[in-house]
Amino acid sequence: MSATVAEKELEPAARETREHSAPTSSSSVGSEPMLENTIEWSDSLLAHLRELFKHGELLYLVTQRELKVRYKQSVLGVLWAVLQPFSLMLVFSLFFGHFNRLPSEGLPYPLFSYPALLPWTFFSTALSFAIPSLIQNSNLITKIYFPREIVPLASVFAAFVDFLIASLIFVGMLFFYHVSPTWNLLYVLPLLTVQVLFTIGVCLLLSAFTVLYRDVRHTLPLVIQIWMFVTPVLYPASSVPERWRSLYMSLNPMAAIIDGYRRCIVKGLAPELNYLALAAGVSLLLVWLGYKYFKHLEREFADIV
């Protein structure tokens, strides 16, 4: 009787021992080791950034793939990166510069419009590809885990490569119109940094939002068109009345960025630093908000896309 009670008391411990020893016995017979992919979710943006940097090579490969897919089976290849802003410059110069005589601050209209069309094309191309990118890469997202922000970021960086290629034409135009560089040309670097941050912030925020609400993808072309007309691409920023200009620059950081490019490259002037600082502040805030919102929704992406 006492032995039976002892067996009953030992039975749970023995069962637990058997459960823990089972994998050891199975591995001893030569079966394949089980691969474990542990995903640790965190709410720390610094931890997410560290993970993103660890996947830097993957970001490079996805960006490279984005460029290859974009120009695959294309006769002109990367020349399309040049043709889009250059052809728009020709059309705008003919209709708005020559026929309608829009103000161009005393500059030839091609020289006035192209330094605005270049950053605008970079911005609009990045938005067009990055915002629907999570849905378009749903087959990848539902199969394996990796930091999902790599997908929209790759679209932004691919658009940046196009921007650099199209800039070569602009260098030729500066020589053609005998524009001498000044030290204010160095402002291109902070302007470019602010634009990249602003673009990344918009793309992270809206790409995550598009996963929940597909309406964003359908309204995107209209929004980009309207955004271009409220940005000083075709007209100088000085056309906006003085009393509205601060509000205009505050609500539209792309206005301050494009006006800054035009001033420091073509006109040899420094950008209006108060507007540039405002655009930098808005861009940093947008990146923080966009990244936080993106990572908040990230764990749901595989179930929704």
Side-chain angles (χ1 to χ4, degrees):
M1 183 66 181
S2 59
T4 305
V5 173
E7 286 175 4
K8 287 182 179 179
E9 290 175 350
L10 290 173
E11 189 176 358
R15 188 164 55 244
E16 185 178 351
T17 303
R18 283 196 300 272
E19 288 173 354
H20 282 287
S21 62
T24 305
S25 61
S26 64
S27 61
S28 64
V29 296
S31 62
E32 291 291 332
M34 182 178 295
L35 296 176
E36 294 184 357
N37 186 17
T38 304
I39 301 171
E40 296 181 359
W41 297 104
S42 170
D43 291 329
S44 168
L45 288 184
L46 285 178
H48 294 316
L49 283 175
R50 280 197 295 270
E51 188 183 18
L52 178 62
F53 283 124
K54 286 180 185 175
H55 290 78
E57 187 176 358
L58 179 61
L59 176 59
Y60 171 76
L61 292 174
V62 176
T63 304
Q64 193 178 47
R65 187 201 67 162
E66 177 98 8
L67 287 167
K68 286 181 179 177
V69 170
R70 188 176 300 180
Y71 299 116
K72 186 179 180 182
Q73 293 183 326
S74 169
V75 176
L76 297 180
V78 294
L79 283 179
W80 283 112
V82 177
L83 279 178
Q84 185 177 353
F86 190 74
S87 58
L88 284 175
M89 181 267 291
L90 292 177
V91 172
F92 290 167
S93 298
L94 179 63
F95 286 92
F96 297 115
H98 184 68
F99 292 159
N100 292 296
R101 302 290 180 185
L102 282 185
S104 60
E105 299 181 322
L107 297 170
Y109 202 83
L111 193 62
F112 172 81
S113 59
Y114 199 70
L117 281 168
L118 269 180
W120 178 258
T121 304
F122 163 42
F123 180 67
S124 60
T125 304
L127 262 61
S128 301
F129 283 91
I131 289 176
S133 60
L134 291 173
I135 298 172
Q136 291 171 348
N137 289 277
S138 58
N139 57 339
L140 191 64
I141 289 173
T142 53
K143 286 180 181 175
I144 58 172
Y145 173 76
F146 60 94
R148 310 302 194 203
E149 62 268 32
I150 283 179
V151 176
L153 286 179
S155 298
V156 174
F157 292 142
F160 183 68
V161 173
D162 288 347
F163 169 75
L164 294 179
I165 294 170
S167 298
L168 297 176
I169 294 291
F170 186 51
V171 174
M173 289 177 63
L174 293 177
F175 280 108
F176 180 79
Y177 285 105
H178 304 289
V179 177
S180 301
T182 67
W183 286 108
N184 288 321
L185 189 62
L186 295 177
Y187 279 108
V188 167
L189 294 178
L191 283 165
L192 194 56
T193 304
V194 172
Q195 185 183 357
V196 170
L197 287 175
F198 182 70
T199 306
I200 288 175
V202 174
C203 290
L204 286 177
L205 186 67
L206 292 185
S207 60
F209 199 69
T210 305
V211 175
L212 294 180
Y213 304 101
R214 307 298 165 90
D215 308 73
V216 177
R217 189 174 49 167
H218 300 297
T219 56
L220 186 60
L222 175 63
V223 171
I224 290 177
Q225 279 189 345
I226 294 174
W227 203 337
M228 189 188 78
F229 285 110
V230 299
T231 302
V233 175
L234 303 175
Y235 51 86
S238 57
S239 298
V240 179
E242 183 71 31
R243 65 179 185 278
W244 296 108
R245 201 171 301 162
S246 296
L247 179 63
Y248 170 67
M249 294 290 190
S250 306
L251 295 176
N252 184 9
M254 281 303 295
I257 292 168
I258 284 181
D259 183 60
Y261 279 124
R262 191 177 276 147
R263 286 174 65 90
C264 70
I265 298 176
V266 181
K267 299 167 71 175
L269 302 172
E272 297 195 59
L273 295 181
N274 52 337
Y275 295 145
L276 179 59
L278 190 61
V282 171
S283 302
L284 286 172
L285 179 64
L286 194 61
V287 167
W288 180 76
L289 283 175
Y291 198 36
K292 195 170 182 62
Y293 182 67
F294 188 97
K295 299 306 287 188
H296 175 70
L297 288 182
E298 182 185 30
R299 63 191 71 178
E300 311 292 336
F301 285 163
D303 298 326
I304 301 175
V305 295

